[in-house]
Amino acid sequence: MAARCPLPSCRLKREIEIHSQLVHKHVARLYGAFLDDSQRVVLVQEFAARGDLFHVMQRLGGRMPPEHVAELVMRPFLEALSYLHSRGIC
């Protein structure tokens, strides 16, 4: 892994480079990144058809049974984390 970048713009560029190379079922794909007319960074990511965790929790009434947390949250999170670690990330 390359040396740490001291400047925020350098760190952001490195994060984009790393993210664009990740391919895992529990990591949203990064298809591209660019600066808009106002010089804001725009990330083009995979669409999450099932939504985010907050909206899943809302649909379930604000609470999840432990077995749902284990299967729908913790297992995918830990699989993604293991993948990142295997790539020398985190």
Side-chain angles (χ1 to χ4, degrees):
M1 174 121 351
R4 291 187 180 256
C5 302
L7 301 174
S9 60
C10 182
R11 289 193 304 261
L12 178 60
K13 182 179 178 191
R14 182 72 182 131
E15 288 291 326
I16 290 169
E17 288 171 357
I18 291 169
H19 194 168
S20 67
Q21 297 172 16
L22 300 176
V23 180
H24 187 273
K25 65 182 178 178
H26 298 305
V27 177
R29 293 290 313 265
L30 177 63
Y31 295 116
F34 60 91
L35 293 175
D36 69 7
D37 293 338
S38 300
Q39 297 300 298
R40 292 177 297 200
V41 176
V42 177
L43 302 176
V44 181
Q45 291 185 283
E46 176 181 13
F47 175 69
R50 291 173 41 188
D52 60 28
L53 182 57
F54 177 76
H55 289 103
V56 170
M57 292 288 291
Q58 280 186 321
R59 284 194 303 267
L60 295 173
R63 294 191 59 90
M64 276 185 159
E67 57 275 6
H68 285 157
V69 172
E71 194 62 32
L72 300 175
V73 179
M74 294 308 298
R75 180 184 305 270
F77 172 78
L78 292 172
E79 287 176 6
L81 184 62
S82 177
Y83 168 72
L84 294 174
H85 284 173
S86 75
R87 306 267 324 232
I89 303 166
C90 290

